[in-house]
Amino acid sequence: MPDHRLSDPSLTAQGAPRFRRVLVKLSGEALAAPDGYWLHPPTLAALADDIARAAEKGFEIALVVGGGNVIRGARVSAAGWIDRATGDSLGMMATVMNSLALETALNAAGVTARTMSAVSMPTICETYARQPALHHLDKGQVVVLAGGTGNPYFTTDTAAVLRAAELKCDAVLKATQVDGVYSADPKTNPDAVRYERLSHDEAIARDLKVMDTAAFALARDGGLPLIVGSVHAPSSVTAILTGAAPSTLVAP
């Protein structure tokens, strides 16, 4: 089996950042309070400070956040009292609420942030369009991309990879519950091994759950690198991007 060890997957051999423009995918649950309330202001502030530090280091950041801390469309539709398309529409609106909260926290941290929604809500935030989003990123602003893809039946993982491709991002950072991609669930299997680096094809062949199938296939077909690390690490986004925290790199 190939040796996928890499001492610092975020840097080139010359020590320069390999990825400059990065789309960061956060779960909605990452914003929730310990008591289950849908938003936790200290967590929002810590995330915003972290992203501000990453921006100060020269990283260009776009964000996609899920809505699972508020509602999961697939879950409520599975309960039978609402159809899937309507459930997913509720989930997309939940991502707008989370995105506006993140935008507010980022602005308070001294970072200019813009929420852009794939679901048009012109009295609340900008409607997503590729060229204006690229303009914001080129100006050094953080773009918070809400509303998923704007369509039901697609996850925010898929939205993250799609937007990363559209906005010429160098990589997608998925900040998750564990510090990388493992051979098995590390919470239940003490023998699980964390991979330092994998190819897209290797991750597929080993049936590793990096992202949902549609998102992962889109990343593979576009040759888009995925970085998987823990959202719970101190200064997680900056630490992962600079190689100071463990992560897994999935790349061609």
Side-chain angles (χ1 to χ4, degrees):
M1 185 175 68
D3 184 358
H4 296 294
R5 291 175 295 176
L6 191 65
S7 60
D8 190 342
S10 70
L11 302 181
T12 65
Q14 293 74 34
R18 178 176 297 179
F19 308 121
R20 182 171 180 235
R21 178 171 292 179
V22 180
L23 189 141
V24 179
K25 168 61 171 61
L26 297 168
S27 69
E29 288 86 351
L31 310 182
D35 63 1
Y37 186 70
W38 71 286
L39 280 179
H40 189 228
T43 296
L44 279 168
L47 279 169
D49 288 342
D50 180 15
I51 293 164
R53 282 192 290 273
E56 288 172 359
K57 290 182 177 293
F59 292 101
E60 297 175 355
I61 304 292
L63 290 164
V64 168
V65 61
N69 56 323
V70 181
I71 190 170
R72 286 190 175 275
R75 183 177 297 168
V76 296
S77 62
W81 64 276
I82 197 169
D83 63 81
R84 176 65 186 271
T86 302
D88 284 355
S89 294
L90 293 173
M92 286 186 276
M93 288 188 284
T95 71
V96 176
M97 291 191 286
N98 284 340
S99 296
L100 291 170
L102 268 174
E103 177 196 292
T104 300
L106 286 163
N107 288 330
V111 178
T112 302
R114 296 289 190 97
T115 296
M116 304 184 79
S117 174
V119 179
S120 183
M121 298 183 179
T123 61
I124 295 175
C125 61
E126 290 185 54
T127 301
Y128 172 76
R130 178 173 177 266
Q131 291 299 335
L134 286 168
H135 179 66
H136 294 324
L137 288 169
D138 288 340
K139 289 172 62 178
Q141 299 174 347
V142 173
V143 179
V144 188
L145 299 160
T149 66
N151 299 285
Y153 300 100
F154 292 95
T155 67
T156 50
D157 276 354
T158 301
V161 176
L162 174 63
R163 297 293 180 243
E166 290 180 322
L167 299 177
K168 303 178 181 179
C169 292
D170 300 315
V172 174
L173 166 57
K174 183 170 183 179
T176 185
Q177 301 300 310
V178 292
D179 59 354
V181 180
Y182 281 78
S183 57
D185 186 348
K187 295 180 179 179
T188 59
N189 187 342
D191 296 323
V193 176
R194 182 175 62 83
Y195 298 104
E196 294 285 346
R197 181 168 181 166
L198 293 161
S199 70
H200 293 89
D201 286 337
E202 286 170 329
I204 291 173
R206 298 175 193 181
D207 194 28
L208 302 173
K209 307 300 183 184
V210 180
M211 285 184 161
D212 68 77
T213 304
F216 193 78
L218 183 59
R220 179 196 59 187
D221 293 347
L224 186 64
L226 306 173
I227 312 165
V228 182
S230 173
V231 72
H232 302 297
S235 301
S236 55
V237 171
T238 305
I240 294 167
L241 290 178
T242 58
S247 64
T248 298
L249 176 66
V250 182

